[in-house]
Amino acid sequence: MQFEIAVLPGDGIGPDVITEGIKVLEAIGKRFNHSFNLHEGLVGGAAIDAEGTALSDATIKMCRQADAVLLGAVGGPKWDDPLAKVHPEDGLLKLRGELGLFANLRPVKVSPMLVDSTNLKPEVIRGADFIFVRELTGGLYFAQPKKRWETAKGRMATDSMTYSEQEIERIVRVGFELARLRRKKLTSVDKANVLESSRLWRQVAMEVAKEYPDVALDHMLVDACSMRLIQNPTYFDVLVTENMFGDILTDEASMLAGSMGMLPSASLAGVPKEGVRIFGMYEPIHGSAPRRAGLDMANPIAIILSVAMMLRYSLGLDKEASVIEKAVDDVLSQGYRTYDIMAEGKTKVGTAEMGDLIAKKVKG
Ligand code: IPM
Ligand code: MG
């Protein structure tokens, strides 16, 4: 089969890891006889420098015409001035908003091979395997108004958390659908003891639950959830939450997997169901890590697993996705590690070598 893929390397280690993601994608193409036509564009700081905007209209158009978008990372100190008119992150938010990517899937699976390379006790994290469903196009991130102003008493600023019942319903539904394909347990995370938007969230979640009697729904306050994630992570199967809570909790959860460099993500424009191809954007959850850029250090596994998610959700290539996931497991079990997951007695490799090793396994 033939597919069109928009590729946005972005900033920092984004380009470093994208190269490895593509390497593995091409290995899949060779083995399974697919062709992936790649269309490269700029986003983030790279786009600000070259085009004066964090995401040009031409790049958005290119993404819309593709079957899926593969993104590296955006941001860096060069563009961090809080007074700057445009920030690299604006490009990412524009992509999410304009492409309607409301459902952000962030799976966290503790690899048995890495259970000893984290800061947490192996007996606590062993077996943890859950997936976050983060709402991605609403809440504080897309607040209206979002502004600063001056008053006689000093400066003020606002971002408010607003959700419509439609926005809540469609994301909660993603949670239920995924739970149905897994262990049939959904935890909806909110702050309903304080926030009105969370009370609506909880109410809508309970209403949607009536359509999914086979899935057990529970509700957890976001502060309690942050605690439970490190206290008893095997408790969770699928979690669904609003944008900002999801941003914070998924960084925390990434530590269970040993490193942010291990975690992929999918941002989808629809509800994932078996046998349905959904437009989506795929990116590692780690950021641009500017200090590591260009040093052949970054762990490419997050982007490589993001490529697997792309094959599964947007291209309908489930078998091919599993081949990548297995290749990653195999390379880890042979003892190869990038610096972030390095442990005694293991073999340290750089970005490109890790990509080569995984691509070679994929080729079979
Ligand atoms: C993420 C990142 C982004 C976010 C940043 C880079 C805007 O932290 O994808 O989690 O806050 O959503
Ligand atoms: Mg984040």
Side-chain angles (χ1 to χ4, degrees), residues 77-90:
K78 185 175 171 194
W79 308 280
D80 263 355
D81 180 358
L83 292 177
K85 285 234 155 43
V86 48
H87 293 103
E89 291 76 8
D90 301 343

Side-chain angles (χ1 to χ4, degrees), residues 89 92 96 106 134 141 247:
E89 291 76 8
L92 188 56
R96 292 172 178 173
R106 298 188 161 183
R134 169 188 175 195
Y141 278 61
D247 178 45

Side-chain angles (χ1 to χ4, degrees), residues 71 82 116 255:
L71 184 136
D116 296 308
M255 289 297 100

